[in-house]
Amino acid sequence: MIVFAFYLFAALVIASAAMTVLARNPVHSVLWLIMAFFNAAGLMVLVGAEFLAMLLIVVYVGAVAVLFLFVVMMLNIDFAELRAGFMKNAPLGFAIALILLAELVLGIGAYRAGKLELGTPMGDAAPLLGQSNVESIGAMLYGQYLFLFEVAGIILLVAMVGAIVLTHREQRSSRGHQNIAKQNARRPDEATVNVKPEVGKGVEL
């Protein structure tokens, strides 16, 4: 059953990745990318890395891919110009593809030659006995690396506040601008004014 699930998820990941590149509609490409993320999360669950699976779903699907989808849907894309640009940059794309293929072949050859010895683990990051990966990672983050984790959160908070400050613009008062506070503070007797215009003089505005 596990082997069947692995081959199913792996085949769907490869097919979704291929359709992400080959789809002509950018919206369809983003949807295929989301499907590839979901199947990759299934592979992570099979190998026991449920934390990485949740990261794929929450971060990549819930934030990055959805952001791509909304941006693509809101942009007015000229598909004819897009195809012309593709043909124009095709030689550069093929050159990059060949470089990536050479790196992949080199990496496979290095792996078959023998794995790298990165040193002996100290045992500080050993998983907790009888606990899941999520609990082990949580104990590590909020234990040994608590200070670094808090510093990273503060840096992200400062970056978010800075982005808000840079993009904030004071709203200038213009003609026809409504003062909501003044309207809410108005009393009923100030809302309407009864006048008695003289005959033949009309209404004074």
Side-chain angles (χ1 to χ4, degrees):
M1 183 64 182
I2 297 179
V3 176
F4 173 76
F6 170 77
Y7 283 110
L8 177 63
F9 286 136
L12 289 176
V13 166
I14 296 174
S16 302
M19 291 302 299
T20 302
V21 179
L22 298 177
R24 297 192 176 188
N25 193 330
V27 177
H28 295 169
S29 297
V30 178
L31 294 177
W32 283 113
L33 180 63
I34 292 175
M35 184 176 179
F37 284 149
F38 271 107
N39 289 281
L43 291 176
M44 295 297 176
V45 172
L46 290 180
V47 299
E50 62 272 8
F51 182 75
L52 294 180
M54 290 304 300
L55 283 182
L56 279 174
I57 298 298
V58 175
V59 177
Y60 286 94
V61 176
V64 178
V66 174
L67 177 62
F68 288 166
L69 182 61
F70 278 105
V71 169
V72 170
M73 291 176 65
M74 287 188 297
L75 291 178
N76 187 13
I77 300 176
D78 188 359
F79 293 100
E81 184 180 356
L82 186 64
R83 296 189 185 97
F86 174 79
M87 296 304 299
K88 179 181 179 181
N89 297 320
L92 179 60
F94 282 120
I96 295 176
L98 291 177
I99 294 174
L100 295 177
L101 180 62
E103 292 180 351
L104 183 62
V105 173
L106 181 61
I108 294 175
Y111 175 77
R112 291 183 177 180
K115 62 180 182 179
L116 297 176
E117 295 294 338
L118 300 178
T120 304
M122 300 176 59
D124 296 338
L128 301 177
L129 296 178
Q131 304 294 336
S132 63
N133 291 333
V134 178
E135 293 173 339
S136 299
I137 293 175
M140 182 66 64
L141 287 178
Y142 294 102
Q144 183 177 356
Y145 297 101
L146 177 61
F147 177 73
L148 298 177
F149 185 75
E150 295 293 336
V151 169
I154 293 174
I155 293 175
L156 292 176
L157 178 62
V158 171
M160 182 180 66
V161 173
I164 294 174
V165 171
L166 291 176
T167 56
H168 178 69
R169 294 292 184 273
E170 291 292 339
Q171 188 175 9
R172 298 179 179 178
S173 60
S174 59
R175 186 175 181 182
H177 177 70
Q178 297 182 0
N179 191 342
I180 305 299
K182 183 179 180 180
Q183 294 179 6
N184 292 333
R186 187 173 56 180
R187 296 192 302 271
D189 55 348
E190 298 176 352
T192 58
V193 179
N194 293 327
V195 296
K196 296 181 179 180
E198 298 179 5
V199 178
K201 292 189 177 181
V203 179
E204 182 181 356
L205 298 177

